[in-house]
Amino acid sequence: MEAILVSACLRGVPCRFDGRHKLSPELADTVSGRRVVSFCPEVAGGLPTPRRPAELVGGDGHDVLDGTARVVEDTGRDVTEEFVAGAHRALAAARAAGCAEAVLMPRSPSCGRGAVHDGSFTGELVAGDGVTAALLERNGITVHPAPGA
């Protein structure tokens, strides 16, 4: 059975920064017939739940991986190391399960694909990918934003 990596919050796990989940009923069709590997890179990187909101500053997840951007909490605390560690753990989990695809939480500094928050903590979006989405894509895993999330 084909495996697919899915953001744990989309599967109902209360692991988001605000201590909630983002259960996506529309996800059922996407993952039907596949073995689902639920994963939260932020928790895997050592961050607690709940935690302070964080956004990408100075670029997107690709820039973070290249060392030219950071992930920063709304307090100014740099959590780049935790986000990068979680991304690498997500990649390891995807590889171990043989995942060729992932469905991740939109707009997230970890999981966002195509659009992420701009670092101003005002809700504004910019084109780009989160840290985990960027790492997965760089390693040949196709990342899709979750339907309806």
Side-chain angles (χ1 to χ4, degrees):
M1 177 180 290
E2 182 182 331
I4 187 167
L5 186 77
V6 176
S7 292
C9 62
L10 296 170
R11 302 281 293 162
V13 177
C15 57
R16 286 173 37 94
F17 76 94
D18 59 6
R20 297 179 175 178
H21 62 76
K22 198 74 164 170
L23 181 64
S24 174
E26 296 89 347
L27 187 63
D29 289 337
T30 304
V31 301
S32 179
R34 301 186 200 191
R35 185 167 46 92
V36 175
V37 177
S38 297
F39 200 87
C40 178
E42 293 173 25
V43 171
L47 295 171
T49 303
R51 56 190 165 274
R52 299 300 311 172
E55 293 189 7
L56 298 158
V57 175
D60 76 346
H62 294 279
D63 299 311
V64 170
L65 295 172
D66 294 340
T68 61
R70 310 297 296 160
V71 186
V72 179
E73 292 180 339
D74 63 350
T75 60
R77 178 176 165 239
D78 188 310
V79 288
T80 303
E81 184 177 311
E82 291 89 339
F83 274 72
V84 171
H88 283 281
R89 289 185 179 115
L91 176 60
R95 283 181 169 162
C99 298
E101 292 182 274
V103 175
L104 302 180
M105 181 65 204
R107 302 173 297 282
S108 158
S110 287
C111 298
R113 176 74 172 106
V116 291
H117 291 281
D118 71 354
S120 68
F121 296 93
T122 61
E124 293 297 315
L125 298 174
V126 295
D129 298 325
V131 179
T132 297
L135 186 65
L136 294 176
E137 283 282 342
R138 284 183 176 192
N139 285 275
I141 298 171
T142 303
V143 177
H144 308 283

